[in-house]
Amino acid sequence: MNNAVLVCEKLGKSFIQGGHEIKVLQDLDLEVAAGEKIAVIGVSGSGKTTLLNLLGGIDTPSSGRVLVNGSDLAVLGSREQDLLRNHSLGFVYQFHHLLGEFSALENVAMPLIIARRPWSECQQRARDLLTRVGLGARLAHRPSQLSGGERQRVAIARALVNNPLCVLMDEPTGNLDRQSALSIHDLIQELNEQLKTSFILVTHDNTLASRMDRVLVLQDGMLKPFQAQPQ
Ligand SMILES: Nc1ncnc2c1ncn2[C@@H]1O[C@H](COP(=O)(O)OP(=O)(O)OP(=O)(O)O)[C@@H](O)[C@H]1O
Ligand SMILES: [Mg+2]
């Protein structure tokens, strides 16, 4: 597919633990089209976070390959990989990974600062996104001064700040109350419509999953279309 933003081909990942090989992913294929929204569900330990880490180049596959916007991550040098990641992908981790020494505004602006955008632009864009996620009055707070749900919203704003082609989210609304979760759902919908951002969301939130174009289940190391069980 020409307009695929992310492709994985025959992706495999094993971990060696105590002399045993644990196969987490096996021959997994996936194509994410521009503007496509995909939910990935699966039981705890099925490999959802492992998959996102491979898609984002945070971890390397044991077999198979990952193409980000047509480029094979494995053949790029680490600097080129970083550039591609910085321009093409946004991440929301299962645990927020904010930088403790920096304010909410600086955390959100960080991908733009790394991309050497002018500071006024970084600040403006970070402020806009934090306002969008309901944190316009928390710009100067450090992560330790924010609630769990507020930290999660800062992490979401950070993932979106450089208008990535595709955003990878691991349980983005896991710690949020219903109201905040719904405002994140709306934000995802809006960015998807306005900017054609693709989303891959790992979620246990059925409402969020039902708003995606496709729901895939990670089971036995592979992705399968989700079929609701008859009642
Ligand atoms: N670095 C590692 N070394 C060894 N085993 C690992 C490593 N990372 C993950 N695993 C194993 O791989 C399996 C999949 O882990 P993963 O974190 O991807 O699951 P998950 O689907 O995200 O689960 P959860 O819903 O609980 O977050 C687990 O059995 C885990 O123990
Ligand atoms: Mg996980």
Side-chain angles (χ1 to χ4, degrees):
M1 197 195 293
N2 297 330
N3 66 344
V5 291
L6 262 181
V7 174
C8 43
E9 293 172 353
K10 300 232 170 291
L11 200 61
K13 182 69 183 176
S14 301
F15 295 107
I16 308 289
Q17 268 293 312
H20 294 283
E21 186 187 26
I22 306 169
K23 287 187 178 168
V24 180
L25 305 177
Q26 283 192 77
D27 285 342
L28 183 149
D29 292 315
L30 176 67
E31 273 193 13
V32 185
E36 193 176 23
K37 306 190 297 293
I38 296 177
V40 174
I41 59 175
V43 296
S44 179
S46 57
K48 304 178 301 293
T49 297
T50 304
L51 173 62
L52 288 191
N53 288 344
L54 296 178
L55 291 177
I58 294 163
D59 201 354
T60 50
S62 310
S63 56
R65 58 182 199 150
V66 176
L67 307 177
V68 178
N69 206 20
S71 296
D72 183 348
L73 284 180
V75 305
L76 298 177
S78 65
R79 205 186 119 66
E80 290 166 304
Q81 254 198 42
D82 287 348
L83 275 175
L84 183 66
R85 259 205 302 258
N86 193 277
H87 285 120
S88 310
L89 302 175
F91 299 93
V92 177
Y93 301 94
Q94 193 164 12
F95 305 101
H96 63 79
H97 288 294
L98 297 174
L99 301 167
E101 300 303 304
F102 293 93
S103 67
L105 184 89
E106 290 161 339
N107 265 284
V108 174
M110 202 54 76
L112 298 177
I113 296 170
I114 292 169
R116 301 211 170 87
R117 308 300 308 167
W119 173 237
S120 58
E121 179 193 325
C122 298
Q123 226 178 344
Q124 173 80 48
R125 177 101 182 108
R127 194 184 294 122
D128 285 353
L129 271 164
L130 280 166
T131 305
R132 288 294 312 277
V133 297
L135 294 176
R138 298 285 185 279
L139 303 181
H141 283 53
R142 297 211 174 163
S144 62
Q145 300 167 324
L146 296 169
S147 75
E150 287 172 342
R151 284 179 214 159
Q152 189 68 351
R153 282 185 275 161
V154 173
I156 291 169
R158 181 182 58 181
L160 301 171
V161 79
N162 56 354
N163 287 339
L165 292 172
C166 184
V167 181
L168 308 172
M169 295 183 159
D170 204 346
E171 288 285 354
T173 56
N175 298 317
L176 301 183
D177 60 86
R178 206 68 214 142
Q179 198 54 44
S180 307
L182 288 174
S183 74
I184 298 301
H185 297 186
D186 290 344
L187 184 62
I188 290 172
Q189 199 72 33
E190 208 175 297
L191 286 164
N192 175 254
E193 280 163 17
Q194 287 174 359
L195 303 171
K196 292 276 168 276
T197 313
S198 303
F199 287 88
I200 304 180
L201 302 178
V202 167
T203 186
H204 290 112
D205 180 339
N206 290 336
T207 315
L208 183 53
S210 69
R211 286 200 181 186
M212 301 294 115
D213 302 315
R214 282 198 279 163
V215 181
L216 302 173
V217 192
L218 187 52
Q219 200 181 355
D220 304 325
M222 279 180 271
L223 286 170
K224 296 162 193 174
F226 175 67
Q227 280 159 345
Q229 297 295 319
Q231 296 294 317

